[in-house]
């Protein structure tokens, strides 16, 4: 699903990655970890097509991350989630439903499972961090993408929502073969990730991980 070879990314004069090579197989669940500033969120941004690397190659299902066909395959939960603060939670979900041609009611049902039932008519600007994270997760998964990129998806969630998200991710992998890559300093379920990649443990040219990528 994901193939990265010789990736180099710079942030101003700072080198974030140099020679990064890794593969993630279709249906694999991979957790990215490491100290602050080691490039976890930057790597997700590259995979989301929001940042163009200085050199190297990155492909998702054999295509560039910026390819319009890849956009429909991918869901991205950023940290913090990019939500419209002047919309209500219900209006935010209706907007996303329209973009992906899915039923608003289906997204509202998913929001209910995460505990947003009584907050659907509250402005996004009035939601707590955890409530925004729940709403962002529903938006990122609205179109049932084949690849999920999640930046700190468990941060700020209450125990019930945490369980619901872990169950949903597990179901997506088992039933739909979804490939999931997430950034987290903690693993809410020891068996959730197929493997963990520590981006802080590499050297400039090390091959971090290999898979049977598709």
């Amino acid at each position: 699903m994901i193939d990265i070879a010789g990736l180099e990314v710079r942030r101003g004069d700072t080198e974030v990655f140099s020679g990064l090579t890794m593969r993630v197989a279709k249906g694999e669940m991979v957790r990215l970890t490491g100290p602050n500033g080691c490039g976890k969120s930057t790597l997700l941004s590259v995979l989301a097509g929001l940042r163009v690397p200085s050199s190297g190659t990155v492909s998702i299902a054999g295509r560039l991350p910026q390819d319009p066909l890849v956009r429909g395959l991918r869901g991205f939960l950023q940290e913090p989630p990019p939500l419209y603060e002047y919309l209500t939670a219900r209006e935010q979900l209706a907007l996303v439903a329209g973009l992906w041609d899915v039923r608003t009611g289906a997204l509202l049902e998913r929001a209910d499972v995460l505990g947003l039932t009584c907050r659907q008519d509250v402005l996004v600007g009035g939601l707590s961090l955890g409530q925004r994270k729940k709403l962002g997760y529903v938006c990122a998964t609205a179109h049932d993408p084949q690849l999920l990129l999640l930046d700190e998806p468990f941060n700020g969630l209450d125990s019930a929502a945490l369980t619901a998200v872990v169950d949903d991710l597990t179901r997506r992998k088992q039933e739909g073969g979804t490939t999931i890559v997430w950034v987290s300093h903690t693993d809410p379920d020891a068996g959730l990730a197929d493997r963990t990649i520590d981006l802080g443990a590499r050297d400039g040219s090390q091959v971090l991980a290999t898979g049977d990528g598709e």
Side-chain angles (χ1 to χ4, degrees):
M1 175 60 80
I2 297 173
D3 283 279
I4 299 173
L7 179 66
E8 179 180 325
V9 177
R10 302 188 68 85
R11 188 185 299 124
D13 294 330
T14 303
E15 186 177 79
V16 182
F17 296 118
S18 178
L20 174 64
T21 296
M22 61 181 284
R23 302 184 74 190
V24 177
K26 183 180 182 349
E28 195 173 14
M29 298 179 75
V30 175
R31 179 170 72 104
L32 302 178
T33 189
N36 293 336
C38 72
K40 303 182 297 296
S41 294
T42 297
L43 181 55
L44 289 191
S45 294
V46 170
L47 293 173
L50 301 180
R51 182 187 289 267
V52 177
S54 305
S55 63
T57 61
V58 179
S59 68
I60 296 174
R63 298 177 180 273
L64 293 175
Q66 294 82 10
D67 190 309
L69 292 177
V70 173
R71 293 174 189 168
L73 301 177
R74 177 182 56 211
F76 183 27
L77 174 61
Q78 296 173 256
E79 174 63 19
L83 305 170
Y84 292 101
E85 298 205 350
Y86 54 82
L87 296 179
T88 66
R90 185 187 302 274
E91 291 168 338
Q92 174 76 46
L93 292 176
L95 174 64
V96 171
L99 292 174
W100 291 115
D101 193 24
V102 299
R103 291 190 308 107
T104 301
L107 302 190
L108 290 170
E109 290 171 5
R110 295 184 189 182
D112 287 345
V113 172
L114 295 180
L116 284 174
T117 306
C118 64
R119 307 296 285 172
Q120 290 178 0
D121 294 310
V122 174
L123 290 176
V124 169
L127 298 178
S128 68
L129 168 64
Q131 290 164 345
R132 290 182 184 220
K133 186 60 64 70
K134 296 173 186 179
L135 183 60
Y137 181 80
V138 176
C139 291
T141 58
H143 56 304
D144 295 324
Q146 295 179 32
L147 170 64
L148 264 177
L149 306 172
L150 308 171
D151 198 349
E152 296 289 357
F154 312 114
N155 184 33
L157 296 184
D158 54 62
S159 59
L162 178 60
T163 298
V165 168
V166 169
D167 288 347
D168 185 64
L169 291 175
T170 302
R171 178 189 61 79
R172 289 178 183 278
K173 177 188 176 180
Q174 293 176 346
E175 296 181 5
T178 306
T179 305
I180 304 166
V181 179
W182 75 91
V183 165
S184 180
H185 293 285
T186 59
D187 191 344
D189 184 325
L192 185 60
D194 294 316
R195 58 191 168 105
T196 294
I197 298 174
D198 184 353
L199 292 181
R202 61 183 171 80
D203 62 36
S205 60
Q206 185 177 2
V207 176
L208 284 182
T210 59
D212 299 324
E214 244 179 72

